[in-house]
Amino acid sequence: NAGVMQNPRHLVRRRGQEARLRCSPMKGHSHVYWYRQLPEEGLKFMVYLQKENIIDESGMPKERFSAEFPKEGPSILRIQQVVRGDSAAYFCASSLLGGYGYTFGSGTRLTVV
Amino acid sequence: GIQVEQSPPDLILQEGANSTLRCNFSDSVNNLQWFHQNPWGQLINLFYIPSGTKQNGRLSATTVATERYSLLYISSSQTTDSGVYFCAVAPVGSARQLTFGSGTQLTVLP
């Protein structure tokens, strides 16, 4: 079992570019969650998805951020027109049942220059 | 929303010492997990423990749901135990999003 796979591990973008972060859940897991960790802070919930559906996006910024979990392929967190304040570690987690026993990936560290 | 408080915020130990980390939460939960974030930033799931007691090697955890707290015990600490320990909970009726505490920064000295 390969666990939750996130890529890339590190991503550098210039201000105004787009960032695309990918997450492949554990085999058999159909629930995916994205969290953001700003420097020196804890993790904050962003969005919860099941296959082809966004279940809860109450933690997502209203603009520039979007997420999807298609029927085939990984979940994608997309940040358009990145700004320096978007620099953070973005973690993906998956679970077998909704909300129970999360397993986290190793994260993507986004740096906006 | 639910509040999660962890204590102590920082802890420095000599290798071989024991420690207890505490997590208080403000509402009934049906999901509580302890995580270790190592110095490389990886987030390791230690325990899924909304109630009761579990042990895994030198680590054990106890959650007293009725009193809204959880404890993580680390025995015979090693330098590889260094990092940040997070408690995360989800309240009853909203089992999806975890709310994280601010963590305990543990440093184990050789």
Side-chain angles (χ1 to χ4, degrees), chain A residues 23-95:
Chain A
C23 168
S24 296
M26 286 185 69
K27 188 174 182 180
H29 287 191
S30 59
H31 303 259
V32 167
Y33 317 83
W34 286 92
Y35 286 75
R36 177 166 66 173
Q37 185 177 31
L38 293 169
E40 307 300 326
E41 293 187 12
L43 283 79
K44 305 292 186 187
F45 169 80
M46 298 182 74
V47 62
Y48 163 39
L49 310 102
Q50 294 181 23
K51 284 286 188 181
E52 300 184 277
N53 287 302
I54 296 174
I55 306 303
D56 182 349
E57 56 181 347
S58 58
M60 287 276 273
K62 298 300 180 190
E63 298 177 350
R64 301 186 298 107
F65 285 71
S66 63
E68 64 176 5
F69 189 17
K71 186 177 181 180
E72 300 292 337
S75 175
I76 305 290
L77 180 68
R78 182 183 178 202
I79 310 172
Q80 296 178 289
Q81 299 176 316
V82 296
V83 300
R84 288 212 171 122
D86 297 332
S87 294
Y90 292 82
F91 288 91
C92 169
S94 72
S95 73

Side-chain angles (χ1 to χ4, degrees), chain B residues 2 25-31 50 65-66 68 89-94:
Chain B
I2 193 167
F25 43 96
S26 62
D27 206 348
S28 299
V29 300
N30 58 14
N31 186 355
T66 53
R68 299 181 183 172
V89 304
V92 171
S94 177

Side-chain angles (χ1 to χ4, degrees), chain A residues 35 37 48 99-100 102 109, chain B residues 31 33 37 41 48 95-96 98:
Chain A
Y35 286 75
Q37 185 177 31
Y48 163 39
Y100 297 90
Y102 289 38
R109 274 117 191 114
Chain B
N31 186 355
Q33 291 183 250
Q37 188 166 39
Y48 166 69
R96 303 182 196 111
L98 290 174

Side-chain angles (χ1 to χ4, degrees), chain B residues 10-80:
Chain B
D10 298 279
L11 186 58
I12 300 175
L13 300 173
Q14 207 66 38
E15 199 168 24
N18 303 328
S19 61
T20 300
L21 282 58
R22 187 177 180 100
C23 171
N24 293 332
F25 43 96
S26 62
D27 206 348
S28 299
V29 300
N30 58 14
N31 186 355
L32 187 149
Q33 291 183 250
W34 283 97
F35 296 93
H36 174 216
Q37 188 166 39
N38 64 25
W40 296 271
Q42 292 178 308
L43 202 61
I44 310 299
N45 183 15
L46 298 176
F47 293 103
Y48 166 69
I49 187 166
S51 64
T53 298
K54 290 186 178 179
Q55 180 159 6
N56 184 4
R58 296 181 296 102
L59 302 181
S60 63
T62 295
T63 297
V64 183
T66 53
E67 297 187 22
R68 299 181 183 172
Y69 73 89
S70 182
L71 301 174
L72 177 69
Y73 305 96
I74 304 173
S75 65
S76 304
S77 57
Q78 301 175 357
T79 56
T80 52

